[in-house]
Each structure stands twice: as C-alpha cells, then as structure tokens.
Amino acid sequence: DSQKEVVRAGSPYFSFYLLSAFAKSGLHEKALAYIRTHWKKMLDWGATTWWEMWQPTASFCHGWSAAPTYFLSAEILGVKPAKPGWEEVLIHPNPVNLEWARGVAPTPKGNVSVEWKSEETFEMTIEIPTRARIAVPIRKSGLIMVNGEKDRLPMGVSRLEDRGGFAFLQAERQGRYRFAST
C-alpha cells in the first residue's frame, strides 16, 4: 500500500511547506480547507496565538505555527512583493470559495490595503504606497473597470495581459484604486 510510505505533515511547522506547495500548484481552495481543519482546532480550544503543536502540549505562542497568517495575506488577500524591497507590489487575490477578504500588509514603503468581494462580479479596492501589478479575476463579460470608468483606464494605469483567468494591470503610482470585473 503506497499510502503507508507517505510521510505526513505532522506539525504546524511542516504545514507551512505543505501550504506553500498547495499555493504553487494553484490549489488555494485545498490550502484554505487545510487551514480550516487544522488551525481551527487551536481556535476551538480557545487559542489566541498559534501554538507550537496542534494540541496544547507545548509552547502556546510559537512563530513556526504562523503559516495561516502569511498564507492568508499573501495567497488569499494576494499581497506580495513584486520586486526586492517592495519597490513594486503584486496584488493577486485568490478568492476561492470566499465571498470577501480585507486586510493591510505593512511594507517598508508603507501599508498596502486590500479589500475585495467576490460574487457575480468581483470588486476590489486597494491603497498602495508605490507602483503595483494588480491581478483582477475575469468574469463573464471580460470587462474590467478602474475607478468606475468603463471605457478608459486612469492615467498611470495600463492593462498588461490576460492570463490564467486574470487581467493583469500596472499602476505606476501610489494611490487608491477601485477595480470591478463583471
């Protein structure tokens, strides 16, 4: 039986690598289900920090168990550095089966704020301290509106390409932008 030969992720520490592999493979929904199954146990037991192990038998506040904190910000909300030193930000949300997400990611350039909701349309508001590459999920019509404009992009914003179900745009300057995909 080949299942007996598989080494299972046995700790929150190793689970970081499992979540990273899910993300790299585009399996964000599976990663989110894994977080809900495993880290939820800590929350159900009343944890207010991430524990060293899945059960309350070791440290009650352990950095190596913080994978969901990174994963939800970088892979679900979608905020990552696009260039070293955060000279450019990448905002690439993965809504999976969620209706909305909201968060702030601190960077050396300032805070990156992202809020999105995903229903029949996808709407996202971002506030960026520097230039950014933004991925917006493409819906039925393929129409992407920026700051409420249907027929033109604001100055300093360009549409780069459509790939993998997303429209990729470039914002050349800091500011607040609203995106809608219908």
Side-chain angles (χ1 to χ4, degrees):
D1 185 352
S2 65
Q3 288 294 331
K4 291 180 183 176
E5 297 174 17
V6 174
V7 176
R8 296 181 186 265
S11 70
Y13 166 76
F14 188 80
S15 293
F16 172 82
Y17 300 102
L18 182 62
L19 292 175
S20 295
F22 283 148
K24 193 169 187 112
S25 302
L27 300 172
H28 294 87
E29 195 163 331
K30 192 167 187 165
L32 191 57
Y34 187 84
I35 290 170
R36 285 178 171 150
T37 299
H38 289 77
W39 276 270
K40 182 181 180 304
K41 292 175 189 175
M42 289 185 209
L43 298 176
D44 288 345
W45 282 18
T48 57
T49 58
W50 298 130
W51 299 343
E52 181 179 5
M53 300 304 290
W54 298 123
Q55 64 283 344
T57 57
S59 170
F60 289 113
C61 185
H62 213 82
W64 79 12
S65 301
T69 307
Y70 168 77
F71 182 85
L72 294 172
S73 296
E75 297 296 338
I76 300 299
L77 190 63
V79 181
K80 296 181 191 177
K83 292 191 175 172
W86 293 83
E87 290 296 324
E88 181 175 303
V89 174
L90 171 64
I91 300 173
H92 190 308
N94 288 288
V96 291
N97 57 4
L98 296 173
E99 293 178 8
W100 64 274
R102 175 179 56 227
V104 176
T107 78
K109 300 292 182 186
N111 289 339
V112 175
S113 174
V114 177
E115 181 174 352
W116 56 255
K117 66 179 185 174
S118 181
E119 296 169 347
E120 281 188 38
T121 63
F122 180 86
E123 297 175 18
M124 178 169 64
T125 301
I126 66 171
E127 193 160 341
I128 51 175
T130 187
R131 62 185 295 183
R133 200 168 350 132
I134 303 110
V136 180
I138 298 173
R139 296 297 198 229
K140 291 178 195 171
S141 73
L143 177 68
I144 304 292
M145 294 190 302
V146 182
N147 296 343
E149 294 288 334
K150 199 184 312 186
D151 299 322
R152 64 183 179 89
L153 295 173
M155 185 187 250
V157 176
S158 56
R159 190 163 177 169
L160 303 174
E161 65 176 328
D162 293 359
R163 178 174 35 91
F166 287 84
F168 287 84
L169 297 102
Q170 180 79 38
E172 295 296 334
R173 56 179 75 114
Q174 68 181 27
R176 183 179 173 89
Y177 300 90
R178 290 182 337 267
F179 300 89
S181 175
T182 59

